[in-house]
Amino acid sequence: MTSDPVSGRDTVQSLARGLAVIRAFDADHPQLTLSEVARRADITRAAAGRFLRTLEELGYVRGHDRLFALTPRVLELGFSYLSALSIPEIVQPHLERLSREVDESVSSAVLDGDEIVYIARVPTRRIMSVRITIGTRFPAFATSMGRVLLAGMPAAARDAMLEASALPALTDRTLTDPTELRAELARVREQGWSLVDGELEPGLRSVAVPLHGRRGEVVAAVNVSTSATRDSVDHVVERYLPPLRAAAAAIDAELRLV
């Protein structure tokens, strides 16, 4: 077990440990025991106990019957970032209109390292085995939004990220070969949209387009997600891509004013 998540003269190790404790919780692990927190945060049980008690005192964690969970107050930690970003506030009403038009779940995400992070969403029905909320993360390489975001990166930075990233087979359809993935990203960049069919989760189809900032750079993505049992690939492209592109164009127009 490592003693500290980070090292260096200019780092505050206790802060790093405390953040590691918060990050130990996620959608798949909403409740953890003290030992599980220690293991997932890579710290000792004694240290985990001190941080959990401190977070509980501050209102960020609640404990019951030897189980700990985050409270809604942790959202305060990301509120400043989301407020400064301004994208979620701009995107949300467009997503609501788009969802009403296509009668499907629509979302927006940004790139954080080799993962996408959901910043806005309008669900119509549950189409994945996990519940998607603001802040949910998925591997970028296997998602439609992730691919348009990766395709929008400078080539050198994108290639370096892919070389350093794990490309696990999440389903039997996941594209994991780096050469094939780079070719797919080149195609996505050229056509301006991405469709992923069952690569993140079996039966899930989604189509995504990029959102652009004032200087034309790709800053986020939006998608429409549906079930393979309801919609063929051709139907997804023909029915959902045009209104998705129209919504993205309207969002882009507002983002240029920010």
Side-chain angles (χ1 to χ4, degrees), residues 10-213:
D10 295 328
T11 60
V12 180
Q13 294 170 352
S14 59
L15 175 59
R17 290 193 188 113
L19 292 174
V21 167
I22 292 175
R23 289 196 301 270
F25 299 89
D26 57 27
D28 295 324
H29 305 87
Q31 295 187 94
L32 297 169
T33 65
L34 175 59
S35 296
E36 289 169 336
V37 170
R39 184 177 68 254
R40 289 177 59 80
D42 200 17
I43 58 178
T44 66
R45 288 183 82 259
R50 289 195 299 271
F51 285 113
L52 286 169
R53 286 191 295 273
T54 301
L55 290 168
E56 193 170 9
E57 250 184 58
L58 295 173
Y60 294 113
V61 165
R62 63 173 177 268
H64 177 68
D65 197 21
R66 298 186 179 181
L67 286 175
F68 296 90
L70 298 180
T71 72
R73 191 169 186 180
V74 297
L75 296 174
E76 294 176 355
L77 301 176
F79 182 75
S80 296
Y81 168 73
L82 292 174
S83 297
L85 190 63
S86 78
I87 295 177
E89 184 178 5
I90 292 173
V91 165
Q92 189 66 33
H94 293 278
L95 294 189
E96 291 170 1
R97 284 192 291 271
L98 176 61
S99 181
R100 288 195 297 270
E101 181 178 356
V102 300
D103 192 30
E104 293 291 351
S105 298
V106 299
S107 307
S108 181
V110 295
L111 192 65
D112 183 20
D114 59 0
E115 296 180 315
I116 61 167
V117 181
Y118 280 71
I119 60 170
R121 179 165 168 79
V122 180
T124 58
R125 53 184 68 86
R126 184 161 179 171
I127 56 177
M128 289 194 68
S129 61
V130 299
R131 186 168 63 95
I132 301 175
T133 60
I134 305 306
T136 293
R137 293 171 173 265
F138 289 124
F141 82 98
T143 66
S144 60
M145 288 193 288
R147 287 185 181 170
V148 296
L149 290 166
L150 291 171
M153 294 177 63
R158 178 178 63 247
D159 290 345
M161 177 183 292
L162 291 176
E163 288 176 9
S165 302
L167 303 175
L170 304 174
T171 74
D172 59 4
R173 304 184 65 138
T174 308
L175 184 61
T176 60
D177 181 83
T179 300
E180 293 180 4
L181 182 58
R182 281 193 290 270
E184 174 63 14
L185 293 177
R187 188 170 73 89
V188 169
R189 184 182 182 92
E190 182 177 354
Q191 69 186 13
W193 54 275
S194 172
L195 186 141
V196 169
D197 182 13
E199 295 188 49
L200 179 65
E201 182 166 301
L204 176 68
R205 287 180 177 145
S206 66
V207 59
V209 297
L211 298 178
H212 302 86

